[in-house]
Amino acid sequence: MATNMRGLTQFIADIRGARVRELEEKRINKEMANIRKRFKDGNLDGYQKKKYVAKVIFTYILGYKVDVGHMEAVNLISSSKYSEKQIGYLAVTLLMHENSDFLRLVVNSIRKDLNDNNEIHNCLALHAIANVGSQEMAEALAEDVHRLLISPTSETFVRKKAALTLLRLYRKHPDVIPAQEWALRIVSIMDNPDLGVVLCVTSLILALAQDHLDAFTICYQKAVDRLNRLVVDHEYAATYSYYKVPIPWLQVKLLRLLQYYPPSDDPTLQVMLQEVLQTIMNNCNEPSRNVQHNNAQHAVLFEAINLAIHLDTNSPLVNTAAVLLARFISSKETNVRYLGLDTMAHLAARTDNLSAIKNHQGTIILSLRDKDISVRRRALDLLYSMCDVDNSELIVGELLRYLKVADYGLREEMVLKIAVLTEKYAGTYKWYVDTILELLSAAGDHVGEEVWYRVVQIVTNTEDLQAYAAKVVFEYLKSPSSHESLVKVGGYILGEYGHLIANEPGYSPIEQFQALHSKSQFCMAPTRAMLLSTYIKWVNVFPEIKPQLVNVFERYRHVLDVDLQQRACEFYAIAQRPDEDELLQNVCEEIPPFPPRESALINRLNKKQVHANGTLERQPSKMVRKPTLVDTNGQGSTSNGDISQDIANSLAGLDITSSPVAISPSTDLSATLIAKGIPRLTAGPNVDRWFEKLLYTAEGVLYEDVQIQVGIKSRYQGPLGQVAIYIGNKMSAPLTSFTTTLHTEEGDALSASFVKIAPSTLAPRTQIQQVVQVECKKVFRTAPVLAVSFLAGSHQTIAVRLPVVVTKFLEGVKLGASDFFERWKLIGGPPRESQSIFPISLDATGHIDQARQKLVVSGFGFQVLDGVDPNPTNVVGAGIVHTAVDGKVGCLLRLEPNREAKLSRITIRSTSEDVASEAQKVLQRPLMAEASSASSEKRTL
């Protein structure tokens, strides 16, 4: 820049040549006066404006206040020359704050540069938006930045800058970015072939997904697929290999993104993720001598271990991780030791099996004496997390020994943790008392009030412990110096339970008084007040030392402290009352047990944790994935008539006065679906017709438009099924960012998953096959939804219901007339019967199309039983629904058409009322008049 502007070069040289600050200021003031005059006179060309604004910028960078050049900078942005536009943008980003009025003048110029075909101008505008990032600018230009990001014509480096600019705007003004609306389009860029673009977009998604998890759910599959291609398939350019580690920054971000979501229920994703994590851990088995290689590998490894812990703490991967972490906590590098201890503490806090960590207990204890305080803190956290009933005495003992030499910055936290562990894992009350009193003795200055409060509560509520606690605290009080917290505990326990040991040698009342009173002169006024309460209790139980106690009350009646003086006066008056007076006994009654309450120690300790791991309490990390709610099947209303007559009557003619019942089409839950990150179901008469036909056929077209065709082939055996989905690209251009996902509302009743993930690109005029494994666990009501998304100029999504309903798992059964009627009567009427009446169409000759009715019934899996019904026009069927959990469910069908009324009654009885209801719903639709007419028209054509 300076080489092209001699005036600027000379100005900088003069500034650097100034020997003292006064000469520098003189030269700057002279130059600023000249610039003001030039700007005031006007008639400057682009070169002169650029030169003078550059001088203003240099002056500002030196730390001087400038009040000129703002308008000229705005004008430079509108220039068509790159050098002038660059200086203008630089001045705007440096000289103007986000609330400057001048920014309103540059918004239109920035928008013009964003829409320019020159990618350099695009980048300058994106830099300005990201650096200034005002609310007004974000509201005006966020849409344009998003357009640059998603545009297929944008250069790679422009898309990277656009993604990071959106990230900056979202962090500063999250309300301006419509994250849910843009979610699917932004996530689709994760399939971009350029890993630099993927890295920047993943950074953006990390921020957006934290606040909109449901909208960005599809990114889970994208992240797993990309990790698999990077780590397992090694699909990356050599330029993105950092010391033989494939783009570690992207790996870390993807692994962290997966931790935002609960573990996937899709077995295909689970297998792929397990393979990725296993490969990452295997790559770290042999340490390298190259520091940069180790750093990159360790960054990926630690994030992979955190993800493995998040997925399942009982998996073999976590055991492998524990072995690797054990090596890291013994490393010579401080950072590696710190990360190893930190990750191991994360593991210990979430796993139920601590055996792998306990094997390295000695190394962890030695880390308490590490020269780096941050390592010592992590070792303390880890010891706290890995402590249980088996090793509590050892760990607490080590912590107590280290407490005496620990840093003052660690002591308060150590005291809290020791107190919590002692209470939580105490094998005996005696060990608890010994440990807490030793803690009070060793680090009294760092012991909060909660610690000795808790000791008092436990001793008061444990009768067997009271005498032992009195003896132990008395021995501590006999030492030359005792901390004030220990004196408080001693005052309370001896005041309440000192009489239990008064008859034993060495624990006489006078000795208890002398040991406690000798410490009072070193205590604060609140502690002395507490000791006075102890003395009045002793007046009641130790009359032999009453003169000494009254003498103490007498002396304290004249102190300056109001509380002490009042207590002493009141206690003195009570002590002087006659022995037969019961007031003293009533006042000094033993304190009753405390009500059960949560330990205040744990609450205080958790509040002190500012580390990212949160609470230190051990808890399971297994998360349950929320089912995605999709209402895909039409909920038709049916009239369940009272059919209580015998078999003959029930097979009689229909009641033609009943009105037909219509079935509603698929419910449109657009708002709910979009909120859950799932597109609305693709609507259309053909879509519903294709779906309904596939309910009783094994193969056919599920969806077709000018771009793609989706076909189905399926087969079922027992509760298992396999659905082959054929997706063809009918266009002459490839479909990029191609993604297929399944959404099941009733995950506990029906499982559906792809055998493998679809390729991210579908070539022109080609077809791919996606196999779906389905299992019927229980009776379900809602068919799974297949969502196919791709980029073809714009981002498009097609969502259709898969023809997987409960009748697909129905197997026909041959029955004779007597067996059928016997079982029909045995099942009985409602609620295990579902019945409805609906309109039907006649064939061209005006008769009932019985052949088609039998075709539909048999297509749904029923065995059509000929000769069972006395009425030859009726259709009777039987079958068994197979479920993996509930077993086999019997199902009987009777279809009774009435030619004169053009109505039909369908009755289904089943040992499961849910099966009866669902089977009746799915069978009725293809048999209705509209479906019959459509089928007849198709056959005629």
Side-chain angles (χ1 to χ4, degrees):
M1 184 193 303
T3 56
N4 297 328
M5 293 181 280
R6 294 183 180 177
L8 176 62
T9 305
Q10 185 60 46
F11 176 60
I12 294 174
D14 292 345
I15 296 297
R16 290 179 175 176
R19 296 184 177 180
V20 293
R21 183 172 178 81
E22 287 76 12
L23 293 176
E24 179 182 301
E25 291 179 353
K26 183 178 180 182
R27 178 70 181 90
I28 288 175
N29 290 335
K30 179 181 177 182
E31 190 65 38
M32 288 296 105
N34 179 54
I35 292 173
R36 287 190 187 92
K37 182 176 181 301
R38 293 284 187 174
F39 285 163
K40 186 176 181 181
D41 293 343
N43 298 324
L44 299 176
D45 58 19
Y47 169 79
Q48 291 174 317
K49 286 182 182 179
K50 176 180 69 172
K51 179 178 66 174
Y52 291 133
V53 172
K55 290 181 179 181
V56 171
I57 293 173
F58 182 74
T59 304
Y60 175 81
I61 292 174
L62 290 176
Y64 292 91
K65 291 184 178 181
V66 294
D67 54 1
V68 295
H70 295 79
M71 199 63 207
E72 285 68 23
V74 173
N75 293 333
L76 284 175
I77 289 179
S78 303
S79 173
S80 59
K81 293 184 178 180
Y82 170 74
S83 60
E84 295 174 9
K85 188 182 289 287
Q86 181 190 34
I87 293 295
Y89 273 115
L90 183 60
V92 166
T93 55
L94 287 176
L95 303 181
M96 300 181 190
H97 58 81
E98 63 178 58
N99 297 320
S100 173
D101 293 333
F102 286 99
L103 286 179
R104 298 176 183 173
L105 303 176
V106 302
V107 169
N108 286 332
S109 297
I110 293 177
R111 179 181 286 112
K112 181 180 178 182
D113 287 335
L114 288 175
N115 297 327
D116 200 324
N117 292 328
N118 189 325
E119 59 271 11
I120 301 298
H121 294 175
N122 297 157
C123 292
L124 288 175
L126 290 171
H127 288 169
I129 297 171
N131 282 301
V132 178
S134 65
Q135 175 84 18
E136 185 176 352
M137 188 178 287
E139 292 174 353
L141 301 174
E143 290 279 354
D144 298 282
V145 177
H146 176 250
R147 181 189 53 77
L148 272 181
L149 172 63
I150 66 176
S151 173
T153 60
S154 295
E155 293 289 340
T156 296
F157 60 89
V158 175
R159 302 183 83 175
K160 290 193 284 188
K161 294 178 187 296
L164 296 178
T165 301
L166 279 180
L167 175 60
R168 160 74 170 165
L169 293 179
Y170 182 75
R171 286 174 174 170
K172 201 167 186 181
H173 310 291
D175 298 335
V176 174
I177 307 299
Q180 293 191 4
E181 181 183 337
W182 293 352
L184 294 177
R185 188 63 182 85
I186 291 176
V187 170
S188 68
I189 306 176
M190 292 179 71
D191 289 322
N192 194 284
D194 188 282
L195 292 179
V197 174
V198 177
L199 176 61
C200 295
V201 169
T202 303
S203 300
L204 174 61
I205 291 174
L206 272 172
L208 297 175
Q210 282 182 306
D211 302 323
H212 309 89
L213 283 176
D214 291 330
F216 285 85
T217 304
I218 189 63
C219 73
Y220 193 96
Q221 178 177 326
K222 300 278 189 185
V224 174
D225 184 40
R226 179 62 73 173
L227 279 171
N228 185 70
R229 285 192 278 163
L230 284 175
V231 178
V232 180
D233 299 336
H234 302 289
E235 292 183 15
Y236 59 92
T239 52
Y240 288 104
S241 177
Y242 180 80
Y243 290 92
K244 299 181 180 179
V245 179
I247 191 165
W249 309 277
L250 178 58
Q251 288 192 56
V252 168
K253 290 179 184 294
L254 292 174
L255 291 167
R256 188 169 300 161
L257 177 61
L258 294 176
Q259 294 175 58
Y260 290 171
Y261 290 89
S264 173
D265 293 331
D266 189 333
T268 305
L269 292 181
Q270 291 174 1
V271 171
M272 291 177 64
L273 202 49
Q274 293 287 332
E275 186 179 4
V276 167
L277 296 177
Q278 187 66 61
T279 305
I280 292 174
M281 293 182 187
N282 291 341
N283 292 339
C284 295
N285 282 333
E286 295 298 329
S288 172
R289 294 183 179 180
N290 190 299
V291 176
Q292 285 83 0
H293 174 79
N294 284 337
N295 289 341
Q297 209 167 47
H298 291 162
V300 176
L301 174 65
F302 284 118
E303 208 61 55
I305 292 175
N306 285 332
L307 177 58
I309 295 170
H310 170 74
L311 294 176
D312 184 7
T313 55
N314 297 318
S315 70
L317 281 175
V318 174
N319 295 330
T320 305
V323 174
L324 290 172
L325 292 174
R327 192 180 77 202
F328 293 138
I329 64 177
S330 304
S331 173
K332 294 180 180 179
E333 295 184 31
T334 302
N335 290 338
V336 176
R337 290 199 305 275
Y338 173 88
L339 289 171
L341 290 167
D342 184 52
T343 309
M344 196 173 277
H346 180 208
L347 170 60
R350 282 160 177 78
T351 185
D352 296 326
N353 185 9
L354 295 169
S355 57
I357 301 176
K358 288 181 181 178
N359 293 335
H360 312 286
Q361 188 169 283
T363 306
I364 299 168
I365 290 174
L366 287 177
S367 299
L368 283 173
R369 290 166 175 79
D370 194 277
K371 60 183 179 181
D372 191 288
I373 188 172
S374 60
V375 174
R376 296 196 293 271
R377 284 186 183 277
R378 295 287 77 78
L380 176 61
D381 288 344
L382 177 52
L383 285 173
Y384 177 82
S385 298
M386 65 183 286
C387 187
D388 59 14
V389 178
D390 298 329
N391 61 3
S392 58
E393 294 192 18
L394 175 62
I395 289 180
V396 170
E398 288 291 339
L399 292 178
L400 279 173
R401 280 190 288 275
Y402 176 64
L403 180 63
K404 299 173 183 177
V405 295
D407 304 85
Y408 283 97
L410 277 176
R411 288 193 178 185
E412 183 178 0
E413 185 178 347
M414 284 191 69
V415 166
L416 273 175
K417 289 180 176 178
I418 291 172
V420 170
L421 293 178
T422 305
E423 177 184 342
K424 196 171 182 181
Y425 299 112
T428 63
Y429 285 119
K430 292 184 178 180
W431 178 77
Y432 171 78
V433 170
D434 291 340
T435 304
I436 292 297
L437 293 180
E438 184 178 353
L439 176 65
L440 292 171
S441 178
D445 290 333
H446 303 278
V447 177
E449 298 290 315
E450 297 91 344
V451 176
W452 78 266
Y453 287 170
R454 193 62 179 163
V455 178
V456 164
Q457 291 174 18
I458 291 177
V459 172
T460 304
N461 290 7
T462 312
E463 187 175 351
D464 297 340
L465 186 61
Q466 293 164 357
Y468 179 79
K471 286 184 179 181
V472 175
V473 77
F474 177 73
E475 295 298 332
Y476 274 99
L477 290 174
K478 287 166 63 177
S479 61
S481 62
S482 300
H483 192 271
E484 190 164 346
S485 295
L486 196 59
V487 176
K488 292 178 182 177
V489 175
Y492 179 90
I493 292 178
L494 291 178
E496 291 293 329
Y497 313 113
H499 64 279
L500 299 177
I501 62 171
N503 296 327
E504 299 184 22
Y507 301 103
S508 63
I510 190 63
E511 289 175 306
Q512 292 185 35
F513 170 73
Q514 291 171 349
L516 191 59
H517 191 60
S518 62
K519 304 296 187 295
S520 63
Q521 56 185 324
F522 306 107
C523 298
M524 303 292 289
T527 306
R528 294 186 182 188
M530 184 177 174
L531 294 182
L532 289 179
S533 299
T534 300
Y535 296 159
I536 192 63
K537 287 178 177 287
W538 280 348
V539 169
N540 183 42
V541 295
F542 300 145
E544 60 268 30
I545 60 171
K546 182 176 179 179
Q548 292 91 329
L549 299 173
V550 172
N551 186 37
V552 173
F553 296 148
E554 174 64 30
R555 284 190 286 111
Y556 273 93
R557 289 170 63 191
H558 307 290
V559 297
L560 297 178
D561 187 274
V562 176
D563 184 34
L564 282 175
Q565 187 183 84
Q566 181 176 352
R567 283 182 183 241
C569 290
E570 292 173 354
F571 292 161
Y572 181 82
I574 293 174
Q576 294 298 330
R577 296 179 70 84
D579 295 340
E580 62 273 8
D581 194 337
E582 296 182 356
L583 176 62
L584 179 61
Q585 296 179 7
N586 295 334
V587 169
C588 299
E589 281 187 357
E590 189 173 306
I591 290 183
F594 292 92
R597 65 184 70 177
E598 185 180 359
S599 175
L601 295 176
I602 296 178
N603 292 335
R604 183 182 173 193
L605 180 60
N606 287 337
K607 288 179 182 178
K608 288 177 64 65
Q609 301 306 316
V610 294
H611 188 59
N613 286 345
T615 178
L616 293 170
E617 293 303 306
R618 190 152 54 247
Q619 56 190 3
S621 65
K622 184 72 175 177
M623 298 177 67
V624 179
R625 188 173 183 81
K626 295 180 181 178
T628 307
L629 300 178
V630 184
D631 188 1
T632 58
N633 286 341
Q635 297 298 317
S637 61
T638 60
S639 62
N640 294 325
D642 181 13
I643 316 255
S644 56
Q645 294 105 342
D646 58 13
I647 299 298
N649 291 336
S650 63
L651 291 174
L654 299 178
D655 179 7
I656 60 176
T657 60
S658 300
S659 59
V661 179
I663 299 181
S664 62
S666 299
T667 308
D668 183 12
L669 297 179
S670 303
T672 304
L673 297 178
I674 292 174
K676 292 291 183 180
I678 304 169
R680 66 173 62 89
L681 291 175
T682 304
N686 287 338
V687 175
D688 289 337
R689 180 167 56 82
W690 289 328
F691 172 77
E692 289 163 5
K693 184 176 181 181
L694 284 169
L695 292 180
Y696 59 89
T697 57
E699 59 183 73
V701 175
L702 180 63
Y703 178 83
E704 185 174 9
D705 59 20
V706 295
Q707 294 175 317
I708 71 168
Q709 182 188 58
V710 182
I712 293 289
K713 283 186 178 181
S714 60
R715 59 180 182 179
Y716 296 86
Q717 184 173 3
L720 303 178
Q722 188 178 73
V723 181
I725 305 173
Y726 298 91
I727 306 174
N729 180 6
K730 299 170 62 177
M731 300 195 303
S732 58
L735 302 179
T736 58
S737 189
F738 187 83
T739 309
T740 57
T741 53
L742 285 173
H743 306 282
T744 306
E745 180 180 348
E746 302 170 85
D748 58 336
L750 175 70
S751 66
S753 61
F754 288 113
V755 174
K756 62 180 181 178
I757 293 180
S760 59
T761 302
L762 185 57
R765 312 290 185 186
T766 59
Q767 185 184 71
I768 64 167
Q769 178 187 12
Q770 284 282 90
V771 177
V772 178
Q773 301 284 7
V774 294
E775 181 182 15
C776 178
K777 301 175 183 176
K778 302 177 182 178
V779 179
F780 59 96
R781 301 175 183 275
T782 308
V785 174
L786 169 69
V788 180
S789 61
F790 53 88
L791 283 178
S794 62
H795 187 268
Q796 301 178 45
T797 301
I798 296 163
V800 290
R801 293 171 292 168
L802 278 182
V804 179
V805 292
V806 70
T807 53
K808 288 290 184 180
F809 305 93
L810 185 69
E811 181 183 2
V813 177
K814 292 184 178 180
L815 294 176
S818 59
D819 290 338
F820 179 84
F821 292 143
E822 181 182 352
R823 298 185 186 191
W824 182 270
K825 183 178 291 187
L826 184 64
I827 293 175
R832 294 193 292 181
E833 176 187 89
S834 182
Q835 184 185 89
S836 67
I837 300 172
F838 56 90
I840 59 173
S841 298
L842 305 180
D843 60 14
T845 62
H847 294 85
I848 297 170
D849 193 349
Q850 193 171 19
R852 183 182 179 278
Q853 290 182 343
K854 290 184 177 181
L855 177 67
V856 172
V857 170
S858 62
F860 275 102
F862 284 96
Q863 175 69 48
V864 176
L865 305 177
D866 294 324
V868 170
D869 198 310
N871 188 342
T873 61
N874 292 349
V875 180
V876 178
I880 294 176
V881 176
H882 295 271
T883 64
V885 176
D886 294 342
K888 298 179 180 180
V889 179
C891 190
L892 303 178
L893 169 143
R894 190 173 66 258
L895 182 66
E896 303 165 277
N898 186 295
R899 176 184 170 189
E900 289 74 19
K902 293 185 180 181
L903 296 176
S904 180
R905 177 168 66 188
I906 183 173
T907 307
I908 294 183
R909 292 185 179 183
S910 172
T911 54
S912 167
E913 57 186 89
D914 293 330
V915 170
S917 173
E918 291 305 309
Q920 177 263 314
K921 289 177 185 177
V922 295
L923 261 80
Q924 177 176 330
R925 182 67 185 173
L927 295 170
M928 286 181 65
E930 297 87 345
S932 301
S933 299
S935 179
S936 299
E937 290 173 9
K938 186 174 181 183
R939 289 201 303 272
T940 303
L941 293 174

